[in-house]
Amino acid sequence: MGGSTFGRVFQIHSFGESHGKAMGVVIDGCPSGVKFSLTQLQEFVNRRRPGFSPFSSKRKEADQVELLSGVYEGYTLGTPIALLVYNQDARSSDYDEIKKKPRPGHADDVWKVKYKHTDHRGGGRASARETLSRVMAGAVAKMLIQSLQPKLNVFSFIKSIGLFEISSAATQAIMQHPSPKKELEKLDLAIPDKECLEKVKKLLGDAGVSGESYGGVVQLVVRGLPAGLGQPVFHKLKADLALALLSIGSTVGLEFGDGFKISSERGSEFHSLQQQHNYAGLRGGISTGEAMVVKIAFKPVSSVGAVARNGRHDPCVLQRALPIVESMVLLSIADHLLSCRLDKV
Amino acid sequence: MGGSTFGRVFQIHSFGESHGKAMGVVIDGCPSGVKFSLTQLQEFVNRRRPGFSPFSSKRKEADQVELLSGVYEGYTLGTPIALLVYNQDARSSDYDEIKKKPRPGHADDVWKVKYKHTDHRGGGRASARETLSRVMAGAVAKMLIQSLQPKLNVFSFIKSIGLFEISSAATQAIMQHPSPKKELEKLDLAIPDKECLEKVKKLLGDAGVSGESYGGVVQLVVRGLPAGLGQPVFHKLKADLALALLSIGSTVGLEFGDGFKISSERGSEFHSLQQQHNYAGLRGGISTGEAMVVKIAFKPVSSVGAVARNGRHDPCVLQRALPIVESMVLLSIADHLLSCRLDKV
Amino acid sequence: MGGSTFGRVFQIHSFGESHGKAMGVVIDGCPSGVKFSLTQLQEFVNRRRPGFSPFSSKRKEADQVELLSGVYEGYTLGTPIALLVYNQDARSSDYDEIKKKPRPGHADDVWKVKYKHTDHRGGGRASARETLSRVMAGAVAKMLIQSLQPKLNVFSFIKSIGLFEISSAATQAIMQHPSPKKELEKLDLAIPDKECLEKVKKLLGDAGVSGESYGGVVQLVVRGLPAGLGQPVFHKLKADLALALLSIGSTVGLEFGDGFKISSERGSEFHSLQQQHNYAGLRGGISTGEAMVVKIAFKPVSSVGAVARNGRHDPCVLQRALPIVESMVLLSIADHLLSCRLDKV
Amino acid sequence: MGGSTFGRVFQIHSFGESHGKAMGVVIDGCPSGVKFSLTQLQEFVNRRRPGFSPFSSKRKEADQVELLSGVYEGYTLGTPIALLVYNQDARSSDYDEIKKKPRPGHADDVWKVKYKHTDHRGGGRASARETLSRVMAGAVAKMLIQSLQPKLNVFSFIKSIGLFEISSAATQAIMQHPSPKKELEKLDLAIPDKECLEKVKKLLGDAGVSGESYGGVVQLVVRGLPAGLGQPVFHKLKADLALALLSIGSTVGLEFGDGFKISSERGSEFHSLQQQHNYAGLRGGISTGEAMVVKIAFKPVSSVGAVARNGRHDPCVLQRALPIVESMVLLSIADHLLSCRLDKV
């Protein structure tokens, strides 16, 4: 059964295999009258592009987005918005051996069980390239949110890679920063702690050569979220965000605020420390209007050793994951902002 | 917009306010021919009942389940299955003061923002009593799974409460146990580590008096899951389970296997240690056929101090949460078992 | 796969077998703050009751509606509204022979093919009694519409039974009448043409004795509908109404305005005669703000001959069908009124 | 709210404006392993092309279909299938005046009310060109059906145009014909009655010059349909087909078999004449396994007079509508064939 639709009102339908002809997305449910800029969308997508940071994979694709429908004279029409990127650098020959020998840690073999007939080239639809569709749609969600809640701000940074973690002080500093995105864009890697950043750069530089790989934790922050978002009981905001974020490849867990730490505390402590625990943004799974924090754990990438030898090894996906994480959260928030219009008569 | 439907194929529609007339659920999408036992369903529901363990709330309701439709001569009909429990012990007078003064940590005020008109009595639909519908439906999901995959086994236990955690040895022992459920049912609290259990009993005994409360971590295990469950890309099994579990009140995080620990490891370590990390059950977010482990973090319950004085304080919800956690996972698995029938021509 | 959900935003989930324990419906997606009256709902449901007119089946059930959730202090809460009627007069012994011998014209045998295990008593869920859930939900849709569009008026009458049809003049008179519902309620059968009414009464009186049965055409009128209802391209208002109306048992066709007549005309005629053809209410499948007319054809009921002998023969279902037809249209309009809130930013 | 998704399991998501960049469709829910031929798909689409018959609009587009995803080495992958046609002949200058002056009978003005901002060029998404997406998807539905029910045969023909109707004998002959499609393809217009065909050709030839337009009735036949298709109670096969067919522009009514005629008959007649009335294919709204007949009424096209002067007048859309009608029925049947896999345990 199909699984490429996300959202209940602001719905996106994604398609595309890594080494097929194109990747794309159709957004159905975006209202008319949203100011739309293809240039902004392209910039948003460029953040995701492999090859953007010196540490990421060498596959460099222009990923030029084509707008096919749903927009006229700079504003959305209320009709489906279709966005497309043709695949150019599809070196499927690299992947010919996979057909017989599934790669360890990849989903090749479970897809085989599931579908019997699969496209093995570059992981087919199981490839990380699939997230391009999410980011294109995320850019549109951002434009809609801009129209509805101009002060809403979604940003994310790397909290830890391997055993290196940014300090509490650095975390607080970026969370309170008046323009966190600009601040983060200045950095090679979005690690807003100079000392930690240097250590990680050294770590990943070495790993790029040795073929080692690392996971880590991404911290996502939403500021300016209105109160009352989330639909009881199965579509609480926290539940829909969990669906959104755990649908991303390599994610292995998430917590709201300091979730796991909170679970070991006494109730009397917790309730006096909610702000400090970054847990003030949710109550009963519904937004409260205060800032919301989610931390997402990523496992180390599966491509270790062998793949590194052809010079295409990316030892850590976290930098690339940031626009994907943000896109999924933007999509979920856009969906909930619209769905709340139906709450009261 | 409505949010009381869970599932895409095996769909459940839940209803009921804590102090309204009844709680119920309608299941649409259960195939015909499933052997159905109301006695078994009642037993499954009884596990959830407040008052089952000496440590839980004193509100003792019989919670007698009525079967209204969808079953005939002991087998499901393929038509909607409706299940109902009338509310009996609705002491709404206890809650009259809430109308003016929302309880700290409860969702009363965000619901007010959201809906303007709310039922304040006992939290209305935001009450934990809502989970009764989930458990009734979970029992039906279990019967369906029993027909389709008789060896599939879902069980859960308490891994930690406050700072007390069961040992690795105890964890491994229960996970490998040939009949873990029977083993766990022997215990007052499902903490399969004698030493830890004693400490927790003391902790909660004191807390019941002092009005303190505790959260903790629940570990859920699925054995006998077939490979290939989960729908790429937005309905990966891990994503749908995240939606299912984070839709439960008081949950603040989850990890698959040792997710957060895995995120701090080197790739070379991780890939040799997957089994040990309890992460073998998922690849690309799809089930592999091996055992799957999820850990869910719960915050301490919100009812601290004042509420304890009328003698109805339950210092920890984790024991009561187990059948709810299991139900949500059973529902999601039932949904995916059916949806996989549509994967191949 | 389940099929008991109707609506995309204002969703209803229906359940119940004719001779099971109860019939019911859960409405998820009704906003909070809608004035709700159980008395009004009961009156709306009473119109449907078999035994209301002298010409209908002798099965006389009180059909006392219970409200289980979703309403507090006279207003909806935005949470699911559950409504229930227990079945009382379930003479299942009457139907014991059906188990072996399916009734001609009934769906008993195709259900057997479909589900293998079925509830044969009274047709089970294939029984017309299932429409009770629709009418309960329709009454709630009406209350919502009353809040949103107080001038919107949905009414229906019998245009023909067998070969007897009301005159054009009579049709125009009732369509233009300032209070058509009151006018129609004065009549034994909602046939607003005295001459035709007398002939039909004679026809059905005879048929009640002889065991003959008749079909006919119901005409439904919506006045006060705002412009812009309907979602291109697959959920045009005309398409969703077609789904709604053809989901009713015994319906065999429908036309918007004088649809079939229009299809035989020249374009130049049609465009000058739209008003006269009662086709002004739709353009491109979307409402225009003018009155909308739908005509629904019903086949003669299947229970002929044999069944009549036990004195329970109802020779024509059209009178009973009116509140069902109106309910389905009210549900569809309620759904579209809400969904239009999402059209513009 | 979005309305461009059709189907519950075999879901299609359509997009594109008449004078935008492209028309397309994404199919999510097609199982893996279906034999796929782009050549066959192109041929199926070509039947729809304006300009195919001498009587249709002069806008001649190649409509070359691009396959973007979901198929590999000639078989579907179980992943979304995306199909695209770039718009070439987009003479938007022709339509500049419409911006100020909406065309009579077109949806331009109700779209304006609905969305405020619209694409007026060629009707934008309200254009009949939108149906290209339906036909591309219909061709895929046909391939799926071919895999699942090779003997299932869907075909359609013109029963009447204006006041000219084919004879009963001709109707019976084509319905019983061993290879009806081949027979119909021999004709300029799919009117399988020589005498009627000649009259209609004369009628439309004159109308093409005078600017007159005509509607008519299409008859659709399904042979080889298995019993048990349709989901009680709101997704009966007849209800879903009504949704499918009334979502097509210019449709104004439909009947199953001789629906409206049946409604005027006595029950005793009807039940002995079901076969003759072409009503044998449905019982309780569910397929019985016998042939099913649907008749769809189309109003005369809206483009009369003025438009004719630039030499682009098409006096009747029925010939062009045939592949669209068939596509919608194929889509609905594909959806139901899959959904029936979930009926029994």
Side-chain angles (χ1 to χ4, degrees):
Chain A
M1 192 187 180
S4 292
T5 291
F6 181 82
R8 302 201 300 148
V9 172
F10 186 89
Q11 285 200 316
I12 73 166
H13 312 293
S14 121
F15 63 88
E17 274 75 45
S18 171
H19 289 62
K21 211 164 173 187
M23 312 306 293
V25 70
V26 179
I27 302 162
D28 196 11
C30 184
S32 69
V34 175
K35 203 169 163 46
F36 184 98
S37 157
L38 189 55
T39 313
Q40 264 175 44
L41 189 148
Q42 186 67 55
E43 281 167 17
F44 192 86
V45 166
N46 289 350
R47 286 181 63 205
R48 176 200 165 276
R49 210 176 71 212
F52 184 71
S53 95
F55 305 103
S56 59
S57 157
K58 296 300 176 293
R59 174 165 166 175
K60 279 201 183 76
E61 300 208 356
D63 282 348
Q64 205 64 38
V65 182
E66 266 188 59
L67 170 65
L68 300 179
S69 69
V71 177
Y72 180 60
E73 296 184 341
Y75 288 87
T76 59
L77 289 163
T79 59
I81 300 167
L83 297 160
L84 191 71
V85 171
Y86 281 94
N87 291 326
Q88 294 173 342
D89 176 22
R91 304 190 219 167
S92 58
S93 60
D94 290 11
Y95 293 92
D96 270 357
E97 57 187 276
I98 301 165
K99 201 164 182 178
K100 288 151 229 151
K101 216 180 85 183
R103 298 166 297 176
H106 282 81
D108 303 323
D109 54 348
V110 290
W111 278 62
K112 203 81 193 174
V113 171
K114 187 173 182 64
Y115 294 118
K116 210 169 155 201
H117 176 58
T118 59
D119 178 356
H120 64 286
R121 301 167 305 161
R125 185 144 177 78
S127 162
R129 188 155 172 78
E130 159 266 319
T131 57
L132 179 52
S133 304
R134 302 177 186 232
V135 177
M136 290 192 275
V140 180
K142 201 181 168 187
M143 293 172 202
L144 171 60
I145 292 170
Q146 183 65 24
S147 297
L148 299 175
Q149 292 281 334
K151 289 187 177 168
L152 202 154
N153 191 357
V154 174
F155 63 96
S156 64
F157 54 89
I158 297 171
K159 187 165 183 63
S160 66
I161 283 187
L163 291 164
F164 297 115
E165 186 173 343
I166 65 173
S167 68
S168 290
T171 307
Q172 288 311 311
I174 193 70
M175 281 186 57
Q176 315 290 338
H177 200 284
S179 44
K181 274 181 192 169
K182 273 190 196 153
E183 200 62 18
L184 291 163
E185 275 166 18
K186 292 177 193 164
L187 307 166
D188 295 334
L189 288 168
I191 299 181
D193 174 329
K194 213 180 163 183
E195 203 179 326
C196 182
L197 176 60
E198 290 313 310
K199 285 179 189 159
V200 167
K201 282 166 85 165
K202 169 90 178 66
L203 184 80
L204 298 188
D206 293 352
V209 176
S210 69
E212 186 56 271
S213 74
Y214 290 94
V217 173
V218 164
Q219 179 155 343
L220 179 125
V221 183
V222 187
R223 298 196 311 215
L225 196 63
L229 256 61
Q231 296 300 348
V233 297
F234 295 119
H235 289 284
K236 295 186 171 102
L237 186 58
K238 68 174 180 175
D240 273 4
L241 288 173
L243 172 76
L245 293 165
L246 266 302
S247 77
I248 302 173
S250 298
T251 53
V252 289
L254 99 171
E255 54 180 358
F256 291 91
D258 300 334
F260 276 90
K261 191 171 183 327
I262 287 169
S263 75
S264 68
E265 279 183 349
R266 295 195 300 277
S268 52
E269 279 177 289
F270 167 60
H271 294 294
S272 59
L273 295 174
Q274 277 194 48
Q275 208 88 32
Q276 210 164 307
H277 280 323
N278 295 317
Y279 195 72
L282 288 169
R283 207 161 322 131
I286 311 289
S287 68
T288 61
E290 294 186 67
M292 190 179 70
V293 170
V294 198
K295 285 182 278 180
I296 308 105
F298 285 80
K299 66 180 177 68
V301 290
S302 302
S303 315
V304 264
V307 181
R309 283 192 285 276
N310 62 14
R312 296 177 62 195
H313 180 56
D314 182 358
C316 183
V317 297
L318 269 75
Q319 179 69 16
R320 246 196 299 165
L322 299 180
I324 304 163
V325 161
E326 290 173 22
S327 292
M328 293 311 298
V329 170
L330 289 163
L331 287 166
S332 198
I333 290 174
D335 194 45
H336 278 282
L337 281 173
L338 291 179
S339 112
C340 281
R341 287 191 184 178
L342 307 174
D343 287 344
K344 299 189 203 78
V345 81
Chain B
M1 192 187 180
S4 292
T5 291
F6 181 82
R8 302 201 301 148
V9 172
F10 185 89
Q11 286 200 316
I12 72 165
H13 311 293
S14 119
F15 63 88
E17 275 74 44
S18 171
H19 289 61
K21 210 162 173 189
M23 314 304 295
V25 69
V26 179
I27 303 162
D28 195 12
C30 183
S32 69
V34 175
K35 201 168 166 46
F36 184 97
S37 155
L38 189 55
T39 313
Q40 263 176 45
L41 190 149
Q42 186 68 54
E43 281 167 15
F44 192 84
V45 166
N46 288 350
R47 285 182 63 205
R48 175 201 165 276
R49 211 177 68 213
F52 184 71
S53 94
F55 306 101
S56 59
S57 158
K58 297 300 177 293
R59 175 166 166 173
K60 280 202 182 77
E61 300 208 356
D63 283 348
Q64 205 63 39
V65 182
E66 266 187 57
L67 170 65
L68 300 179
S69 68
V71 176
Y72 180 61
E73 296 184 343
Y75 288 88
T76 60
L77 288 164
T79 59
I81 300 167
L83 297 161
L84 191 71
V85 171
Y86 282 94
N87 291 326
Q88 295 174 338
D89 175 22
R91 304 189 220 167
S92 58
S93 59
D94 290 11
Y95 292 93
D96 271 356
E97 58 188 275
I98 301 166
K99 201 165 183 177
K100 287 150 228 151
K101 217 180 84 184
R103 296 165 298 176
H106 281 82
D108 303 324
D109 53 348
V110 292
W111 278 62
K112 203 81 193 173
V113 170
K114 188 173 182 65
Y115 294 118
K116 211 170 154 201
H117 177 58
T118 60
D119 178 356
H120 64 285
R121 300 167 303 162
R125 185 143 177 78
S127 162
R129 187 153 172 79
E130 159 266 320
T131 57
L132 178 53
S133 305
R134 303 178 185 232
V135 177
M136 290 192 275
V140 180
K142 201 180 166 187
M143 293 172 202
L144 171 59
I145 292 169
Q146 183 64 23
S147 297
L148 300 174
Q149 292 282 334
K151 288 188 179 169
L152 203 154
N153 191 357
V154 174
F155 63 96
S156 64
F157 53 89
I158 297 171
K159 188 165 183 63
S160 67
I161 283 188
L163 290 164
F164 296 115
E165 187 172 341
I166 66 172
S167 69
S168 291
T171 306
Q172 288 310 313
I174 191 71
M175 281 187 56
Q176 315 290 339
H177 200 283
S179 44
K181 275 181 192 170
K182 273 191 197 154
E183 199 63 17
L184 290 163
E185 275 165 19
K186 292 178 194 164
L187 306 167
D188 293 335
L189 287 169
I191 299 181
D193 175 330
K194 212 182 167 184
E195 201 178 328
C196 182
L197 176 59
E198 291 312 312
K199 286 178 188 159
V200 167
K201 282 167 85 165
K202 169 92 178 65
L203 185 79
L204 298 187
D206 293 352
V209 175
S210 70
E212 187 56 272
S213 75
Y214 290 94
V217 173
V218 164
Q219 179 153 344
L220 179 126
V221 184
V222 187
R223 298 194 314 212
L225 198 63
L229 255 60
Q231 296 300 346
V233 297
F234 296 119
H235 290 283
K236 296 187 170 102
L237 186 59
K238 68 173 177 173
D240 274 4
L241 288 174
L243 173 75
L245 292 166
L246 266 302
S247 76
I248 302 174
S250 299
T251 53
V252 289
L254 98 174
E255 55 181 358
F256 290 91
D258 299 334
F260 277 90
K261 191 171 183 327
I262 287 169
S263 76
S264 69
E265 279 182 349
R266 295 195 302 275
S268 53
E269 280 177 287
F270 167 60
H271 293 295
S272 60
L273 295 175
Q274 277 193 47
Q275 208 86 33
Q276 209 163 308
H277 280 324
N278 295 318
Y279 194 74
L282 288 169
R283 208 165 317 135
I286 310 290
S287 68
T288 61
E290 294 186 67
M292 190 179 69
V293 170
V294 198
K295 284 181 278 182
I296 307 106
F298 285 80
K299 66 180 178 67
V301 289
S302 301
S303 316
V304 263
V307 181
R309 281 192 287 275
N310 62 16
R312 298 178 60 193
H313 181 57
D314 181 358
C316 184
V317 297
L318 268 76
Q319 179 69 18
R320 247 198 294 168
L322 299 180
I324 304 164
V325 160
E326 290 173 22
S327 292
M328 292 311 298
V329 170
L330 288 163
L331 287 166
S332 199
I333 289 174
D335 194 45
H336 278 282
L337 282 173
L338 290 179
S339 112
C340 281
R341 288 192 184 175
L342 307 174
D343 287 344
K344 301 189 202 81
V345 81
Chain C
M1 192 186 180
S4 292
T5 291
F6 181 82
R8 301 201 303 147
V9 171
F10 185 88
Q11 286 199 316
I12 73 164
H13 311 293
S14 120
F15 63 87
E17 274 76 44
S18 171
H19 289 60
K21 211 163 174 189
M23 313 305 291
V25 70
V26 178
I27 303 162
D28 196 12
C30 183
S32 68
V34 175
K35 203 167 165 46
F36 183 98
S37 156
L38 189 54
T39 312
Q40 265 176 44
L41 191 149
Q42 186 67 55
E43 281 167 17
F44 193 85
V45 166
N46 288 349
R47 288 181 63 205
R48 175 200 166 276
R49 212 176 69 215
F52 184 70
S53 94
F55 306 103
S56 58
S57 156
K58 296 301 176 291
R59 175 166 166 172
K60 278 203 185 76
E61 300 209 356
D63 283 347
Q64 205 64 37
V65 182
E66 266 187 58
L67 168 65
L68 300 179
S69 68
V71 177
Y72 180 59
E73 296 184 342
Y75 288 88
T76 60
L77 288 163
T79 59
I81 300 167
L83 298 160
L84 191 71
V85 171
Y86 281 94
N87 292 326
Q88 293 173 343
D89 176 22
R91 306 190 218 166
S92 58
S93 59
D94 290 11
Y95 293 95
D96 271 357
E97 58 189 273
I98 301 166
K99 201 166 183 178
K100 287 153 231 152
K101 217 178 84 183
R103 298 166 296 175
H106 282 81
D108 303 325
D109 54 346
V110 291
W111 279 61
K112 202 82 192 174
V113 170
K114 187 173 183 63
Y115 294 118
K116 210 170 155 198
H117 176 58
T118 59
D119 178 357
H120 64 286
R121 300 167 303 160
R125 185 145 179 76
S127 162
R129 187 152 172 79
E130 160 267 319
T131 57
L132 178 53
S133 305
R134 302 176 185 232
V135 177
M136 289 192 274
V140 179
K142 200 180 170 189
M143 293 172 202
L144 171 60
I145 292 169
Q146 182 65 21
S147 296
L148 300 174
Q149 293 281 334
K151 288 185 178 171
L152 204 154
N153 191 356
V154 174
F155 63 96
S156 64
F157 53 88
I158 297 170
K159 189 167 181 60
S160 66
I161 283 186
L163 291 165
F164 296 115
E165 187 173 343
I166 65 174
S167 69
S168 290
T171 306
Q172 288 311 311
I174 192 72
M175 280 187 58
Q176 314 290 338
H177 200 283
S179 44
K181 274 182 196 171
K182 272 190 198 152
E183 200 63 17
L184 291 163
E185 274 165 20
K186 292 177 194 164
L187 308 165
D188 293 336
L189 286 168
I191 298 181
D193 174 331
K194 213 180 163 182
E195 201 178 327
C196 182
L197 176 60
E198 291 313 311
K199 286 179 189 157
V200 168
K201 281 167 86 165
K202 169 92 177 66
L203 185 79
L204 299 188
D206 292 352
V209 176
S210 69
E212 186 56 273
S213 74
Y214 290 94
V217 174
V218 163
Q219 179 153 344
L220 179 124
V221 184
V222 187
R223 299 196 310 214
L225 197 62
L229 254 60
Q231 297 299 347
V233 297
F234 296 118
H235 289 284
K236 294 185 172 104
L237 186 58
K238 68 173 176 174
D240 273 4
L241 289 174
L243 172 76
L245 292 166
L246 266 302
S247 76
I248 302 174
S250 298
T251 54
V252 289
L254 98 175
E255 55 180 357
F256 291 91
D258 299 335
F260 276 90
K261 188 170 186 329
I262 287 169
S263 76
S264 69
E265 279 183 347
R266 297 195 301 278
S268 53
E269 279 176 290
F270 166 60
H271 293 295
S272 59
L273 296 174
Q274 277 192 49
Q275 209 87 32
Q276 210 163 304
H277 280 325
N278 295 318
Y279 194 72
L282 288 169
R283 206 162 322 129
I286 311 290
S287 67
T288 61
E290 294 185 66
M292 191 177 71
V293 169
V294 198
K295 284 181 278 180
I296 307 106
F298 286 80
K299 65 180 178 66
V301 290
S302 302
S303 316
V304 263
V307 182
R309 284 191 284 276
N310 61 15
R312 297 178 61 195
H313 181 56
D314 181 359
C316 182
V317 296
L318 268 76
Q319 177 71 14
R320 245 196 298 166
L322 300 180
I324 304 164
V325 161
E326 291 174 20
S327 292
M328 292 312 296
V329 170
L330 289 165
L331 287 166
S332 200
I333 289 175
D335 195 44
H336 278 282
L337 281 174
L338 290 179
S339 113
C340 281
R341 288 192 184 176
L342 306 174
D343 287 344
K344 302 190 201 79
V345 79
Chain D
M1 193 187 178
S4 292
T5 291
F6 181 81
R8 301 201 304 146
V9 171
F10 186 89
Q11 286 200 315
I12 73 164
H13 312 292
S14 121
F15 63 88
E17 273 75 43
S18 171
H19 288 61
K21 212 165 172 184
M23 310 308 291
V25 70
V26 179
I27 302 160
D28 196 12
C30 183
S32 69
V34 176
K35 202 167 165 49
F36 184 99
S37 156
L38 189 55
T39 313
Q40 263 176 44
L41 190 149
Q42 186 68 54
E43 282 166 16
F44 192 85
V45 167
N46 289 349
R47 286 181 62 206
R48 176 202 164 275
R49 211 177 68 214
F52 184 71
S53 94
F55 308 102
S56 59
S57 156
K58 295 300 175 295
R59 176 168 165 171
K60 278 202 182 76
E61 300 210 355
D63 283 347
Q64 205 62 40
V65 181
E66 267 187 56
L67 169 65
L68 300 179
S69 68
V71 176
Y72 180 60
E73 296 183 343
Y75 288 88
T76 60
L77 289 164
T79 59
I81 300 167
L83 297 160
L84 191 71
V85 171
Y86 281 94
N87 291 327
Q88 295 174 339
D89 175 23
R91 304 190 219 167
S92 58
S93 60
D94 290 10
Y95 293 94
D96 270 356
E97 60 189 89
I98 301 166
K99 201 165 182 176
K100 287 152 229 149
K101 218 179 82 184
R103 298 166 296 176
H106 282 81
D108 303 324
D109 53 347
V110 291
W111 278 62
K112 201 83 193 173
V113 169
K114 187 173 181 64
Y115 293 119
K116 211 168 153 199
H117 176 58
T118 59
D119 179 356
H120 64 286
R121 300 167 304 162
R125 185 145 178 76
S127 162
R129 188 154 170 77
E130 160 267 319
T131 57
L132 178 52
S133 304
R134 302 177 186 231
V135 177
M136 291 192 274
V140 180
K142 201 181 168 186
M143 295 173 200
L144 171 60
I145 292 169
Q146 183 64 23
S147 297
L148 299 175
Q149 291 282 335
K151 288 187 178 170
L152 202 153
N153 192 357
V154 174
F155 63 96
S156 64
F157 53 89
I158 297 171
K159 185 161 186 66
S160 66
I161 283 187
L163 290 165
F164 297 116
E165 187 174 341
I166 65 174
S167 69
S168 291
T171 306
Q172 289 311 313
I174 192 70
M175 280 187 55
Q176 315 291 338
H177 201 282
S179 43
K181 276 182 193 168
K182 272 190 198 150
E183 200 62 18
L184 291 164
E185 275 165 19
K186 292 178 194 162
L187 307 166
D188 294 334
L189 286 170
I191 299 181
D193 174 330
K194 212 179 166 185
E195 199 179 329
C196 183
L197 177 59
E198 290 313 311
K199 287 178 189 158
V200 167
K201 281 167 86 164
K202 170 91 177 64
L203 184 79
L204 298 188
D206 293 351
V209 175
S210 70
E212 186 56 271
S213 74
Y214 290 94
V217 173
V218 164
Q219 178 154 344
L220 179 124
V221 184
V222 187
R223 299 197 309 217
L225 196 63
L229 254 59
Q231 298 299 346
V233 296
F234 296 117
H235 289 284
K236 295 186 170 103
L237 186 59
K238 68 173 177 171
D240 274 3
L241 289 174
L243 172 75
L245 292 166
L246 266 300
S247 76
I248 302 174
S250 297
T251 53
V252 289
L254 98 174
E255 56 181 357
F256 291 91
D258 300 334
F260 277 89
K261 191 170 182 326
I262 288 169
S263 75
S264 68
E265 278 182 348
R266 294 197 301 278
S268 52
E269 281 177 285
F270 166 60
H271 293 294
S272 60
L273 296 174
Q274 277 194 47
Q275 209 87 32
Q276 208 163 307
H277 280 324
N278 295 316
Y279 195 73
L282 288 169
R283 206 162 322 132
I286 311 289
S287 68
T288 61
E290 293 184 67
M292 190 178 68
V293 169
V294 198
K295 285 181 277 179
I296 307 107
F298 286 80
K299 67 182 177 66
V301 290
S302 302
S303 316
V304 264
V307 181
R309 282 191 285 275
N310 62 15
R312 297 178 60 195
H313 181 58
D314 182 358
C316 182
V317 298
L318 268 75
Q319 177 71 16
R320 244 196 298 166
L322 300 180
I324 304 164
V325 160
E326 290 173 22
S327 292
M328 292 311 298
V329 170
L330 289 163
L331 287 166
S332 200
I333 290 174
D335 195 45
H336 277 282
L337 281 173
L338 291 179
S339 112
C340 282
R341 287 192 184 177
L342 306 175
D343 286 346
K344 300 189 202 81
V345 80

